[in-house]
Amino acid sequence: MDDFVRNKLAEWGLSEWVEKFKDEQIDAESLRVLDDREIDNLIPKAGPRVKFKKNLKLLKEEENSNRETVNSVQCEQEHEEAADVVQVLPSTSDTGKRKSDLQSDASRLQSPAKRQCQSMPGFEESIILSDVKSIMTFVHARLNDQDKLSAFLKKKISDLETDKRELVGVFGKTGAGKSSLINAIIKEKNLLPSGSINACTSVMIKLEANTRSTKYEAEIEFITKEEWKDELWSFCQFLDNNEDQDKKDDDYRDAVEKLTALYGEEWKEKSSENLMENKYFKEIPEFLQSRRKILRCESANELSAKCVKYTRSDSKQGEGNEGKKWFWPLVKCVTVRVPNKSLLQHVTLVDLPGNGDCNKSRDQMWKGIVGDCSTVWIVTDINRAASEKAPWEILESVSSLIGNGGECQQIHFICTKSDLLDDSDDFSRAHIHDGIVMRNLQAKDGVRKEFNMRSKINKHFTDDSFKVFTVSSKEFLKGKHLSPEETEIPKLQGFLQDLNDCHSEIVNYVSGAYGILALIQGANSGGVDDKKGEVCSELERHMILQLANINKEMEETITAFEKCLNDGVEKSKRSYGEKLKNFLYHGKKGGGFCRVLKCVVENGGVHKPKNKTLINLNMKLASCLTDSIDEEFRKTFPNDSECGAFNGVIKTFSLNTDSLIEKYKNTELQLRFLKTEEEKIKAKLNRMIREQKKKVYSSLTETIVNIMEEGYKKAAEFRGEGQLYNMRETIKNHVHSKKDMFEQAKNTMLEKLRSLRRDILEILETTMKESFELSFKTDGSSLPDVSTELDMVKKRYDELPGTPDDEVSLTGFADQVETAEAWTQTGLTRGSAV
C-alpha cells in the first residue's frame, strides 16, 4: 500500500478501511482497476462501499479529464511523423501477439517532433525516462510469477520507480517580503497575498507544480477535532487564570487572536465545550470529517482570494469584516499547486514558521519538514540585515535541526527590498543605480561577517554553504533602476532550476532498467554453465573484501564517537547544576516568569512564545553532549551529497565487475546487471543513512526528554501560593536524582550507531548475494527474449549525459586483503554481519 491510497481513503472519509487495503496490498495502480467483486470483498458494509465506488468513479473521470487536457496542449504532429513512434517500439520477434500489444503503448512514447516542440530544461531527459518506463512496464507484464527468478525480476522493475522532491524551507518574519519574493521567482504576481493581509505564522504553506491538471489548486490539511478541543481548553484556562494579564503579552494576544478569528466575540460568553458545537464549523465540513479540503480555480488571483481565510488574518478589523470567519487556527498545512511550472516539478517551496508550534501535530510536521530541507532561505529586509536579531535567532534555533539533525546543504540569506535607498529623490537614475549596487555589496559583506561570528551556526555549516543574496522583486518586475540580473532573482531561479534537475534520478532509473534487461537476456541465452562456480567465487571474495573495509571504517567511527561522548557526559555532570540555576532563576521574579515556567513544564520542557526565542530546557541539559559530537558528526555524516558517509567507504563499495567482464567475456550481461545493482543499493543505503542519522543525532535530546517527563508532570501539578518555588524545586530535585541520564543518552546513541552498522552490512551482503546467486545459479530458460528492448534501453542510456564511466579504479584493492581475512575469521560474513 502506498501514500496515494492511504490519502485517498482519508480524503473520502474511509480511514477505517486503510488496514484492510494495506493487508490486500492495494496500491495506486491496483486501486484504479478494482472490479465490483473485489470492492465487495474489501468493503463488506454497504454504506462505505457505495461511498467508495462513487469517489473512485469521480477520481477516474477527473484523471481522464486531466489526461485529455494535457493531450490537447501538446504539439501537433504531421501524419508521417507518427511512423517514428512505431519505429522505437520493440520488435515482434518473440510472439505473434507482441506487435499489437506494443503498438497500443505507442501513445506513451513521444516522437522526435514532440520533443522538439518543448524547450523546458531537462525535457529531453524526461522523454527518455518516459520511453524507458513504457518499455519496462511492457517487460514487467511479460514476466510470469511461476519461478523465483521471474518474481525477483518483477520486484526489481517495481523498485525502479522513484519520485524525489527537494524541499526548500523559507523562513522570515511577517513583512520581510517572503510572498513578493516567491511570487516573483515563480512568475505568479498575485498567488501569495501581501500588504494589508498579515501572515498567520502557525500555518505552513507548501508550493509545488501541479502536474495533474491545468488548474490552480490548494489542498488544506486541518488539525483534528480532538487537538482543537485540547487547544480550546488550554486557551480558556489560560485566559480565566490570567484575567489581569498585560494585554500586550504575546501569549495572551495569541490566544485572543485565534479565538477571535474563528468565533468573533462569541468566545467570551461561551465555554470550551460550547465552542466545539458543529454550527461553528458548517463552512468547513472537512474539518469535522477529518478530511482535506480541495480548492480548484482557473487563476492565481481566484485561488489566492479563496485561500486567505485559511492562511492569513486581516489586520484591518473594521467595516466589511464584521462576522467574517478566519479558519487558519484550525489549519495544519496548505499545499498550493501551480500549473505549468517546470521550475517546481521536483522542488517544493515551504513557507515555515520560525520555531514550530504549540500544537503537537503541527510541531511534529514542522520538525519533519525542517529536517528534510536540502536548502534553507532566511528572508529579511535589507535594512539592518546584519544586525537585525530576528533572522539570526531563527537560523540559530533551527541550525541543529537542519544541520547535523537534518540534510540541509545550503543556507541562503536573502535580503529583500534592495531597491530602497534613502533620499533617492535627490539623485539622478545613474547615481541611484550606483548607490543601490554599493549598498548591496556592503550589506552582503556585513551579513557574511555576522555569519562568521555565529559559532552556534558555524558548528553545522561551513562558509562555503552560506550564500547571501540582495534581491528586489519590484525592480525585477519593473526594472526602473536595476537590470534583472542585478535584482538577483534570476540567480535564485537558476538555483531552483538546478535543484529541480532530476537528472541523477533519471540516470538511476535508466541504468537500473538496462541492468535488469541485461540479466534477463543473459539468463535467457545461457552459455555460462562452465564458469558459474568460478565467477561466483570471485564475486564472493570481492564482497568479503569490501564488507571488511566498511566494517573497519564504521567500527573506528563508533570508537571516535564513544570518546567524544565520554567527554560530553563528564562535562554534563559538572555543568548541569549551573545550567539549571541560570534557567530556573533567570534573574526574574513574580508572575511573569511563573507563567513562562508553567508553560515549560506543561509542554514537556519546551515553550514557544510568539515572536520570541524558543525556550527548551531539554536542549540546554543535552547541550554538552551535542557539543561534544557536533564536529565528528558533521565529518561522519556530511550533508554535502558529493561526500559519502563514513569517510565515503560505502560510496566506493564495488564488486569490481568491470575487471570480471574482461576475464569472463560470456558473463558480461549478468555482470552488467550486478554493476547497476551496486549503484542502486548504494543509493538506497545513502537514503537510509540520511534518514537514520537524524534519529541518531536527535536521540541525545530525546533520551533527556523521556527521563525528564516525570519531573515535568509533577511540577505542572502545582497551583496557587508558592507555585513558582515548588516548580523550581521539583525540577531541580528530579534532575539531581536522574543525573545518570547523560550516560543513558550516550549509550542510546552508541547503540543506534551500532544498529546502523549492522543494518548496512546486512543489507549490502544479503542484497548483493541474492542478486549474483540468482544471476548465475538459477535457470532462466522460461524468461522472454528482450534483446530488442535491451538495445533500445542501451541507446537511451547512451543518450544521457554524465552516465557512470565504465572504468572502475582498482587502486587499493589488494591492500584490503589482509583486513578482509582477519575480518572473515570473526564470522561476520554471509548474513551474520550483525
Side-chain angles (χ1 to χ4, degrees), residues 48 117 236 251 266 410 432 537 543 550 567 676 697 756 834:
C117 289
C236 292
D251 292 330
E266 277 192 61
Q410 293 193 52
I432 292 172
S537 296
M543 186 169 67
I550 292 172
D567 291 340
T676 61
Y697 187 78
L756 178 60
V834 296

Side-chain angles (χ1 to χ4, degrees), residues 440-647:
N440 291 350
L441 288 172
Q442 291 171 348
K444 287 185 175 184
D445 186 54
V447 169
R448 282 205 162 277
K449 286 179 179 177
E450 185 64 26
F451 170 77
N452 290 328
M453 293 169 61
R454 299 274 175 168
S455 59
K456 192 171 182 180
I457 304 169
N458 299 151
K459 287 192 303 182
H460 299 273
F461 297 95
T462 63
D463 190 59
D464 291 339
S465 60
F466 184 79
K467 293 179 174 60
V468 187
F469 297 84
T470 51
V471 305
S472 171
S473 305
K474 182 179 176 181
E475 282 291 315
F476 178 72
L477 297 172
K478 296 185 177 179
K480 186 177 179 181
H481 298 296
L482 300 173
S483 68
E485 289 72 24
E486 287 173 322
T487 69
E488 300 203 343
I489 296 289
K491 284 186 179 180
L492 291 172
Q493 290 174 326
F495 167 77
L496 289 180
Q497 188 60 62
D498 290 342
L499 199 61
N500 181 68
D501 180 10
C502 59
H503 170 73
S504 62
E505 295 299 308
I506 294 175
V507 170
N508 289 342
Y509 188 97
V510 176
S511 65
Y514 176 37
I516 291 169
L517 292 174
L519 174 58
I520 295 174
Q521 193 59 25
N524 180 278
S525 60
V528 296
D529 288 347
D530 58 329
K531 297 292 183 181
K532 282 181 180 180
E534 194 174 330
V535 175
C536 284
S537 296
E538 290 258 23
L539 288 168
E540 279 203 31
R541 188 172 71 86
H542 288 314
M543 186 169 67
I544 290 171
L545 291 170
Q546 293 292 295
L547 292 175
N549 198 36
I550 292 172
N551 183 68
K552 179 175 179 291
E553 181 62 43
M554 289 193 290
E555 282 289 359
E556 289 174 356
T557 297
I558 293 171
T559 301
F561 271 114
E562 186 167 15
K563 183 177 183 299
C564 294
L565 287 167
N566 286 335
D567 291 340
V569 169
E570 292 307 311
K571 288 179 182 177
S572 297
K573 289 178 179 179
R574 291 197 302 267
S575 64
Y576 78 84
E578 190 66 23
K579 289 181 186 294
L580 273 178
K581 181 180 177 182
N582 292 337
F583 179 83
L584 293 173
Y585 294 91
H586 206 57
K588 296 182 179 181
K589 297 180 180 179
F593 184 65
C594 185
R595 284 192 298 273
V596 170
L597 188 55
K598 184 71 171 175
C599 290
V600 169
V601 298
E602 286 181 340
N603 291 283
V606 181
H607 180 42
K608 297 177 171 65
K610 190 173 181 179
N611 302 322
K612 289 185 180 178
T613 306
L614 172 73
I615 299 171
N616 192 326
L617 177 54
N618 304 311
M619 289 183 70
K620 288 183 184 294
L621 291 171
S623 61
C624 287
L625 289 170
T626 53
D627 288 348
S628 72
I629 54 103
D630 274 334
E631 184 179 348
E632 184 69 28
F633 203 93
R634 189 173 75 178
K635 186 179 76 173
T636 303
F637 301 106
N639 287 341
D640 184 353
S641 57
E642 293 302 312
C643 305
F646 298 102
N647 288 321

